[in-house]
Structures are given as structure tokens and as C-alpha cells.
PDB file of all heavy atoms in Angstrom:
ATOM      1  N   GLU A   5      -2.794  13.380  -8.891  1.00  0.00           N
ATOM      2  CA  GLU A   5      -3.973  12.659  -9.372  1.00  0.00           C
ATOM      3  C   GLU A   5      -3.737  12.020 -10.733  1.00  0.00           C
ATOM      4  O   GLU A   5      -4.673  11.495 -11.339  1.00  0.00           O
ATOM      5  CB  GLU A   5      -5.170  13.611  -9.442  1.00  0.00           C
ATOM      6  CG  GLU A   5      -5.691  14.053  -8.083  1.00  0.00           C
ATOM      7  CD  GLU A   5      -6.317  12.920  -7.279  1.00  0.00           C
ATOM      8  OE1 GLU A   5      -6.765  11.926  -7.888  1.00  0.00           O
ATOM      9  OE2 GLU A   5      -6.321  13.020  -6.035  1.00  0.00           O
ATOM     10  N   ALA A   6      -2.493  12.066 -11.227  1.00  0.00           N
ATOM     11  CA  ALA A   6      -2.193  11.439 -12.523  1.00  0.00           C
ATOM     12  C   ALA A   6      -2.505   9.950 -12.478  1.00  0.00           C
ATOM     13  O   ALA A   6      -3.004   9.375 -13.449  1.00  0.00           O
ATOM     14  CB  ALA A   6      -0.724  11.673 -12.885  1.00  0.00           C
ATOM     15  N   GLN A   7      -2.179   9.298 -11.343  1.00  0.00           N
ATOM     16  CA  GLN A   7      -2.566   7.914 -11.109  1.00  0.00           C
ATOM     17  C   GLN A   7      -3.338   7.885  -9.785  1.00  0.00           C
ATOM     18  O   GLN A   7      -2.742   7.697  -8.720  1.00  0.00           O
ATOM     19  CB  GLN A   7      -1.343   7.001 -11.019  1.00  0.00           C
ATOM     20  CG  GLN A   7      -0.672   6.712 -12.360  1.00  0.00           C
ATOM     21  CD  GLN A   7       0.479   5.721 -12.194  1.00  0.00           C
ATOM     22  OE1 GLN A   7       1.599   6.103 -11.879  1.00  0.00           O
ATOM     23  NE2 GLN A   7       0.180   4.450 -12.382  1.00  0.00           N
ATOM     24  N   PRO A   8      -4.644   8.076  -9.839  1.00  0.00           N
ATOM     25  CA  PRO A   8      -5.429   8.204  -8.603  1.00  0.00           C
ATOM     26  C   PRO A   8      -5.236   7.050  -7.624  1.00  0.00           C
ATOM     27  O   PRO A   8      -5.249   7.268  -6.407  1.00  0.00           O
ATOM     28  CB  PRO A   8      -6.875   8.268  -9.117  1.00  0.00           C
ATOM     29  CG  PRO A   8      -6.756   8.820 -10.496  1.00  0.00           C
ATOM     30  CD  PRO A   8      -5.471   8.258 -11.038  1.00  0.00           C
ATOM     31  N   VAL A   9      -5.033   5.828  -8.132  1.00  0.00           N
ATOM     32  CA  VAL A   9      -4.917   4.681  -7.233  1.00  0.00           C
ATOM     33  C   VAL A   9      -3.699   4.798  -6.315  1.00  0.00           C
ATOM     34  O   VAL A   9      -3.693   4.275  -5.200  1.00  0.00           O
ATOM     35  CB  VAL A   9      -4.880   3.355  -8.039  1.00  0.00           C
ATOM     36  CG1 VAL A   9      -3.537   3.188  -8.762  1.00  0.00           C
ATOM     37  CG2 VAL A   9      -5.166   2.157  -7.149  1.00  0.00           C
ATOM     38  N   LEU A  10      -2.664   5.536  -6.758  1.00  0.00           N
ATOM     39  CA  LEU A  10      -1.463   5.693  -5.936  1.00  0.00           C
ATOM     40  C   LEU A  10      -1.645   6.718  -4.818  1.00  0.00           C
ATOM     41  O   LEU A  10      -0.761   6.868  -3.973  1.00  0.00           O
ATOM     42  CB  LEU A  10      -0.261   6.073  -6.802  1.00  0.00           C
ATOM     43  CG  LEU A  10       0.205   5.040  -7.823  1.00  0.00           C
ATOM     44  CD1 LEU A  10       1.487   5.495  -8.502  1.00  0.00           C
ATOM     45  CD2 LEU A  10       0.402   3.664  -7.174  1.00  0.00           C
ATOM     46  N   THR A  11      -2.788   7.410  -4.796  1.00  0.00           N
ATOM     47  CA  THR A  11      -3.076   8.303  -3.672  1.00  0.00           C
ATOM     48  C   THR A  11      -3.629   7.512  -2.483  1.00  0.00           C
ATOM     49  O   THR A  11      -3.938   8.100  -1.446  1.00  0.00           O
ATOM     50  CB  THR A  11      -4.081   9.401  -4.064  1.00  0.00           C
ATOM     51  OG1 THR A  11      -5.342   8.797  -4.416  1.00  0.00           O
ATOM     52  CG2 THR A  11      -3.566  10.214  -5.243  1.00  0.00           C
ATOM     53  N   GLY A  12      -3.753   6.203  -2.639  1.00  0.00           N
ATOM     54  CA  GLY A  12      -4.268   5.338  -1.575  1.00  0.00           C
ATOM     55  C   GLY A  12      -3.241   4.335  -1.097  1.00  0.00           C
ATOM     56  O   GLY A  12      -2.152   4.201  -1.662  1.00  0.00           O
ATOM     57  N   VAL A  13      -3.594   3.636  -0.032  1.00  0.00           N
ATOM     58  CA  VAL A  13      -2.759   2.579   0.535  1.00  0.00           C
ATOM     59  C   VAL A  13      -3.431   1.245   0.237  1.00  0.00           C
ATOM     60  O   VAL A  13      -4.625   1.071   0.480  1.00  0.00           O
ATOM     61  CB  VAL A  13      -2.573   2.746   2.051  1.00  0.00           C
ATOM     62  CG1 VAL A  13      -1.660   1.651   2.606  1.00  0.00           C
ATOM     63  CG2 VAL A  13      -1.999   4.124   2.373  1.00  0.00           C
ATOM     64  N   ASN A  14      -2.665   0.316  -0.309  1.00  0.00           N
ATOM     65  CA  ASN A  14      -3.178  -1.013  -0.640  1.00  0.00           C
ATOM     66  C   ASN A  14      -3.196  -1.886   0.619  1.00  0.00           C
ATOM     67  O   ASN A  14      -2.163  -2.119   1.242  1.00  0.00           O
ATOM     68  CB  ASN A  14      -2.285  -1.642  -1.708  1.00  0.00           C
ATOM     69  CG  ASN A  14      -2.806  -2.970  -2.235  1.00  0.00           C
ATOM     70  OD1 ASN A  14      -2.050  -3.812  -2.682  1.00  0.00           O
ATOM     71  ND2 ASN A  14      -4.107  -3.182  -2.190  1.00  0.00           N
ATOM     72  N   TRP A  15      -4.412  -2.314   1.012  1.00  0.00           N
ATOM     73  CA  TRP A  15      -4.566  -3.218   2.153  1.00  0.00           C
ATOM     74  C   TRP A  15      -4.911  -4.606   1.625  1.00  0.00           C
ATOM     75  O   TRP A  15      -5.911  -4.779   0.922  1.00  0.00           O
ATOM     76  CB  TRP A  15      -5.689  -2.733   3.070  1.00  0.00           C
ATOM     77  CG  TRP A  15      -5.279  -1.629   3.999  1.00  0.00           C
ATOM     78  CD1 TRP A  15      -4.403  -0.619   3.753  1.00  0.00           C
ATOM     79  CD2 TRP A  15      -5.762  -1.420   5.323  1.00  0.00           C
ATOM     80  NE1 TRP A  15      -4.300   0.210   4.838  1.00  0.00           N
ATOM     81  CE2 TRP A  15      -5.117  -0.257   5.812  1.00  0.00           C
ATOM     82  CE3 TRP A  15      -6.667  -2.092   6.146  1.00  0.00           C
ATOM     83  CZ2 TRP A  15      -5.362   0.246   7.098  1.00  0.00           C
ATOM     84  CZ3 TRP A  15      -6.913  -1.588   7.420  1.00  0.00           C
ATOM     85  CH2 TRP A  15      -6.260  -0.438   7.885  1.00  0.00           C
ATOM     86  N   GLU A  16      -4.098  -5.563   1.970  1.00  0.00           N
ATOM     87  CA  GLU A  16      -4.323  -6.944   1.544  1.00  0.00           C
ATOM     88  C   GLU A  16      -4.327  -7.842   2.772  1.00  0.00           C
ATOM     89  O   GLU A  16      -3.370  -7.841   3.561  1.00  0.00           O
ATOM     90  CB  GLU A  16      -3.224  -7.375   0.572  1.00  0.00           C
ATOM     91  CG  GLU A  16      -3.478  -8.719  -0.074  1.00  0.00           C
ATOM     92  CD  GLU A  16      -2.479  -9.048  -1.174  1.00  0.00           C
ATOM     93  OE1 GLU A  16      -1.614  -8.190  -1.470  1.00  0.00           O
ATOM     94  OE2 GLU A  16      -2.562 -10.154  -1.733  1.00  0.00           O
ATOM     95  N   ILE A  17      -5.426  -8.581   2.947  1.00  0.00           N
ATOM     96  CA  ILE A  17      -5.550  -9.488   4.090  1.00  0.00           C
ATOM     97  C   ILE A  17      -5.688 -10.912   3.594  1.00  0.00           C
ATOM     98  O   ILE A  17      -6.486 -11.206   2.704  1.00  0.00           O
ATOM     99  CB  ILE A  17      -6.762  -9.127   4.971  1.00  0.00           C
ATOM    100  CG1 ILE A  17      -6.558  -7.764   5.627  1.00  0.00           C
ATOM    101  CG2 ILE A  17      -6.989 -10.190   6.047  1.00  0.00           C
ATOM    102  CD1 ILE A  17      -7.688  -7.333   6.539  1.00  0.00           C
ATOM    103  N   SER A  18      -4.884 -11.780   4.170  1.00  0.00           N
ATOM    104  CA  SER A  18      -4.944 -13.206   3.831  1.00  0.00           C
ATOM    105  C   SER A  18      -4.467 -14.008   5.030  1.00  0.00           C
ATOM    106  O   SER A  18      -3.400 -13.725   5.592  1.00  0.00           O
ATOM    107  CB  SER A  18      -4.068 -13.509   2.608  1.00  0.00           C
ATOM    108  OG  SER A  18      -4.114 -14.878   2.292  1.00  0.00           O
ATOM    109  N   GLU A  19      -5.284 -14.956   5.452  1.00  0.00           N
ATOM    110  CA  GLU A  19      -4.934 -15.871   6.544  1.00  0.00           C
ATOM    111  C   GLU A  19      -4.484 -15.135   7.808  1.00  0.00           C
ATOM    112  O   GLU A  19      -3.479 -15.480   8.441  1.00  0.00           O
ATOM    113  CB  GLU A  19      -3.850 -16.855   6.087  1.00  0.00           C
ATOM    114  CG  GLU A  19      -4.302 -17.738   4.931  1.00  0.00           C
ATOM    115  CD  GLU A  19      -3.211 -18.680   4.458  1.00  0.00           C
ATOM    116  OE1 GLU A  19      -2.061 -18.527   4.909  1.00  0.00           O
ATOM    117  OE2 GLU A  19      -3.514 -19.579   3.661  1.00  0.00           O
ATOM    118  N   GLY A  20      -5.241 -14.095   8.152  1.00  0.00           N
ATOM    119  CA  GLY A  20      -4.973 -13.390   9.398  1.00  0.00           C
ATOM    120  C   GLY A  20      -3.822 -12.411   9.356  1.00  0.00           C
ATOM    121  O   GLY A  20      -3.439 -11.843  10.381  1.00  0.00           O
ATOM    122  N   SER A  21      -3.265 -12.159   8.176  1.00  0.00           N
ATOM    123  CA  SER A  21      -2.157 -11.215   8.042  1.00  0.00           C
ATOM    124  C   SER A  21      -2.587 -10.036   7.174  1.00  0.00           C
ATOM    125  O   SER A  21      -3.139 -10.220   6.087  1.00  0.00           O
ATOM    126  CB  SER A  21      -0.942 -11.903   7.411  1.00  0.00           C
ATOM    127  OG  SER A  21       0.105 -10.978   7.219  1.00  0.00           O
ATOM    128  N   LEU A  22      -2.350  -8.834   7.671  1.00  0.00           N
ATOM    129  CA  LEU A  22      -2.650  -7.617   6.936  1.00  0.00           C
ATOM    130  C   LEU A  22      -1.349  -7.023   6.419  1.00  0.00           C
ATOM    131  O   LEU A  22      -0.427  -6.746   7.188  1.00  0.00           O
ATOM    132  CB  LEU A  22      -3.354  -6.597   7.845  1.00  0.00           C
ATOM    133  CG  LEU A  22      -3.454  -5.157   7.340  1.00  0.00           C
ATOM    134  CD1 LEU A  22      -4.309  -5.077   6.077  1.00  0.00           C
ATOM    135  CD2 LEU A  22      -4.009  -4.234   8.429  1.00  0.00           C
ATOM    136  N   SER A  23      -1.287  -6.819   5.109  1.00  0.00           N
ATOM    137  CA  SER A  23      -0.126  -6.188   4.481  1.00  0.00           C
ATOM    138  C   SER A  23      -0.564  -4.859   3.882  1.00  0.00           C
ATOM    139  O   SER A  23      -1.489  -4.812   3.068  1.00  0.00           O
ATOM    140  CB  SER A  23       0.457  -7.090   3.386  1.00  0.00           C
ATOM    141  OG  SER A  23       1.490  -6.435   2.695  1.00  0.00           O
ATOM    142  N   CYS A  24       0.096  -3.771   4.296  1.00  0.00           N
ATOM    143  CA  CYS A  24      -0.245  -2.433   3.817  1.00  0.00           C
ATOM    144  C   CYS A  24       0.927  -1.860   3.031  1.00  0.00           C
ATOM    145  O   CYS A  24       2.061  -1.867   3.530  1.00  0.00           O
ATOM    146  CB  CYS A  24      -0.573  -1.514   4.983  1.00  0.00           C
ATOM    147  SG  CYS A  24      -1.968  -2.063   5.983  1.00  0.00           S
ATOM    148  N   VAL A  25       0.653  -1.365   1.825  1.00  0.00           N
ATOM    149  CA  VAL A  25       1.703  -0.847   0.958  1.00  0.00           C
ATOM    150  C   VAL A  25       1.265   0.490   0.373  1.00  0.00           C
ATOM    151  O   VAL A  25       0.132   0.636  -0.089  1.00  0.00           O
ATOM    152  CB  VAL A  25       2.030  -1.821  -0.196  1.00  0.00           C
ATOM    153  CG1 VAL A  25       3.075  -1.219  -1.134  1.00  0.00           C
ATOM    154  CG2 VAL A  25       2.516  -3.154   0.348  1.00  0.00           C
ATOM    155  N   ALA A  26       2.191   1.457   0.383  1.00  0.00           N
ATOM    156  CA  ALA A  26       1.956   2.750  -0.260  1.00  0.00           C
ATOM    157  C   ALA A  26       3.170   3.093  -1.107  1.00  0.00           C
ATOM    158  O   ALA A  26       4.309   2.834  -0.701  1.00  0.00           O
ATOM    159  CB  ALA A  26       1.725   3.839   0.788  1.00  0.00           C
ATOM    160  N   THR A  27       2.930   3.658  -2.278  1.00  0.00           N
ATOM    161  CA  THR A  27       4.030   4.112  -3.127  1.00  0.00           C
ATOM    162  C   THR A  27       3.580   5.285  -3.979  1.00  0.00           C
ATOM    163  O   THR A  27       2.410   5.376  -4.361  1.00  0.00           O
ATOM    164  CB  THR A  27       4.559   2.980  -4.038  1.00  0.00           C
ATOM    165  OG1 THR A  27       5.664   3.472  -4.796  1.00  0.00           O
ATOM    166  CG2 THR A  27       3.487   2.484  -4.991  1.00  0.00           C
ATOM    167  N   ASP A  28       4.513   6.186  -4.257  1.00  0.00           N
ATOM    168  CA  ASP A  28       4.234   7.282  -5.182  1.00  0.00           C
ATOM    169  C   ASP A  28       5.043   7.137  -6.470  1.00  0.00           C
ATOM    170  O   ASP A  28       5.102   8.061  -7.286  1.00  0.00           O
ATOM    171  CB  ASP A  28       4.514   8.637  -4.528  1.00  0.00           C
ATOM    172  CG  ASP A  28       5.968   8.794  -4.101  1.00  0.00           C
ATOM    173  OD1 ASP A  28       6.791   7.894  -4.385  1.00  0.00           O
ATOM    174  OD2 ASP A  28       6.297   9.824  -3.483  1.00  0.00           O
ATOM    175  N   GLY A  29       5.676   5.978  -6.653  1.00  0.00           N
ATOM    176  CA  GLY A  29       6.493   5.728  -7.834  1.00  0.00           C
ATOM    177  C   GLY A  29       7.963   6.030  -7.627  1.00  0.00           C
ATOM    178  O   GLY A  29       8.807   5.607  -8.416  1.00  0.00           O
ATOM    179  N   HIS A  30       8.290   6.746  -6.539  1.00  0.00           N
ATOM    180  CA  HIS A  30       9.685   7.078  -6.231  1.00  0.00           C
ATOM    181  C   HIS A  30      10.153   6.435  -4.935  1.00  0.00           C
ATOM    182  O   HIS A  30      11.347   6.332  -4.687  1.00  0.00           O
ATOM    183  CB  HIS A  30       9.858   8.591  -6.124  1.00  0.00           C
ATOM    184  CG  HIS A  30       9.445   9.333  -7.359  1.00  0.00           C
ATOM    185  ND1 HIS A  30      10.205   9.332  -8.509  1.00  0.00           N
ATOM    186  CD2 HIS A  30       8.338  10.066  -7.628  1.00  0.00           C
ATOM    187  CE1 HIS A  30       9.588  10.058  -9.438  1.00  0.00           C
ATOM    188  NE2 HIS A  30       8.464  10.512  -8.931  1.00  0.00           N
ATOM    189  N   ARG A  31       9.204   6.022  -4.122  1.00  0.00           N
ATOM    190  CA  ARG A  31       9.509   5.359  -2.853  1.00  0.00           C
ATOM    191  C   ARG A  31       8.352   4.433  -2.516  1.00  0.00           C
ATOM    192  O   ARG A  31       7.252   4.535  -3.101  1.00  0.00           O
ATOM    193  CB  ARG A  31       9.692   6.397  -1.745  1.00  0.00           C
ATOM    194  CG  ARG A  31       8.473   7.296  -1.585  1.00  0.00           C
ATOM    195  CD  ARG A  31       8.655   8.284  -0.478  1.00  0.00           C
ATOM    196  NE  ARG A  31       7.628   9.327  -0.527  1.00  0.00           N
ATOM    197  CZ  ARG A  31       7.500  10.281   0.375  1.00  0.00           C
ATOM    198  NH1 ARG A  31       8.305  10.308   1.421  1.00  0.00           N
ATOM    199  NH2 ARG A  31       6.558  11.199   0.255  1.00  0.00           N
ATOM    200  N   LEU A  32       8.579   3.569  -1.550  1.00  0.00           N
ATOM    201  CA  LEU A  32       7.553   2.602  -1.148  1.00  0.00           C
ATOM    202  C   LEU A  32       7.675   2.379   0.352  1.00  0.00           C
ATOM    203  O   LEU A  32       8.787   2.317   0.899  1.00  0.00           O
ATOM    204  CB  LEU A  32       7.743   1.293  -1.909  1.00  0.00           C
ATOM    205  CG  LEU A  32       6.802   0.124  -1.607  1.00  0.00           C
ATOM    206  CD1 LEU A  32       6.547  -0.700  -2.876  1.00  0.00           C
ATOM    207  CD2 LEU A  32       7.366  -0.784  -0.513  1.00  0.00           C
ATOM    208  N   ALA A  33       6.531   2.272   1.022  1.00  0.00           N
ATOM    209  CA  ALA A  33       6.499   1.970   2.449  1.00  0.00           C
ATOM    210  C   ALA A  33       5.536   0.819   2.678  1.00  0.00           C
ATOM    211  O   ALA A  33       4.433   0.809   2.115  1.00  0.00           O
ATOM    212  CB  ALA A  33       6.047   3.200   3.251  1.00  0.00           C
ATOM    213  N   SER A  34       5.957  -0.158   3.469  1.00  0.00           N
ATOM    214  CA  SER A  34       5.073  -1.283   3.733  1.00  0.00           C
ATOM    215  C   SER A  34       5.178  -1.721   5.186  1.00  0.00           C
ATOM    216  O   SER A  34       6.212  -1.541   5.836  1.00  0.00           O
ATOM    217  CB  SER A  34       5.379  -2.468   2.815  1.00  0.00           C
ATOM    218  OG  SER A  34       6.564  -3.134   3.212  1.00  0.00           O
ATOM    219  N   ARG A  35       4.079  -2.281   5.680  1.00  0.00           N
ATOM    220  CA  ARG A  35       4.023  -2.813   7.046  1.00  0.00           C
ATOM    221  C   ARG A  35       3.086  -4.004   7.054  1.00  0.00           C
ATOM    222  O   ARG A  35       1.993  -3.953   6.470  1.00  0.00           O
ATOM    223  CB  ARG A  35       3.521  -1.741   8.027  1.00  0.00           C
ATOM    224  CG  ARG A  35       3.319  -2.240   9.459  1.00  0.00           C
ATOM    225  CD  ARG A  35       4.639  -2.470  10.167  1.00  0.00           C
ATOM    226  NE  ARG A  35       4.488  -3.253  11.384  1.00  0.00           N
ATOM    227  CZ  ARG A  35       4.254  -2.762  12.605  1.00  0.00           C
ATOM    228  NH1 ARG A  35       4.117  -1.456  12.748  1.00  0.00           N
ATOM    229  NH2 ARG A  35       4.169  -3.558  13.643  1.00  0.00           N
ATOM    230  N   SER A  36       3.496  -5.067   7.713  1.00  0.00           N
ATOM    231  CA  SER A  36       2.667  -6.264   7.843  1.00  0.00           C
ATOM    232  C   SER A  36       2.376  -6.516   9.313  1.00  0.00           C
ATOM    233  O   SER A  36       3.272  -6.421  10.155  1.00  0.00           O
ATOM    234  CB  SER A  36       3.379  -7.478   7.242  1.00  0.00           C
ATOM    235  OG  SER A  36       3.606  -7.299   5.862  1.00  0.00           O
ATOM    236  N   VAL A  37       1.113  -6.832   9.626  1.00  0.00           N
ATOM    237  CA  VAL A  37       0.706  -7.104  11.006  1.00  0.00           C
ATOM    238  C   VAL A  37      -0.334  -8.222  10.986  1.00  0.00           C
ATOM    239  O   VAL A  37      -0.922  -8.538   9.944  1.00  0.00           O
ATOM    240  CB  VAL A  37       0.100  -5.860  11.688  1.00  0.00           C
ATOM    241  CG1 VAL A  37       1.129  -4.764  11.833  1.00  0.00           C
ATOM    242  CG2 VAL A  37      -1.121  -5.354  10.932  1.00  0.00           C
TER     243      VAL A  37
END
């Protein structure tokens, strides 16, 4: 909980594309659909 926002997944939608990104500062995972 040191950085509460990093406990979530960032969802960004633009022009029919959804980009999801998660990171804990040591790794990152992303998927676009």
C-alpha cells in the first residue's frame, strides 16, 4: 500500500482499443484488445 495506485490495473480505452497495464515497480504486464 506504499503506492496504492499500483495495487490496481490501468485500463485505457481509445478508438475501440483497450490497453491494460499492471506493474509493481519490478515487473510489468500488459495486454491490448
Side-chain angles (χ1 to χ4, degrees):
E5 290 293 336
Q7 286 184 275
V9 73
L10 295 186
T11 63
V13 182
N14 186 207
W15 279 35
E16 188 172 357
I17 294 181
S18 179
E19 298 178 351
S21 177
L22 166 64
S23 174
C24 300
V25 177
T27 182
D28 61 5
H30 303 286
R31 57 179 167 176
L32 178 146
S34 75
R35 175 73 195 270
S36 298
V37 295

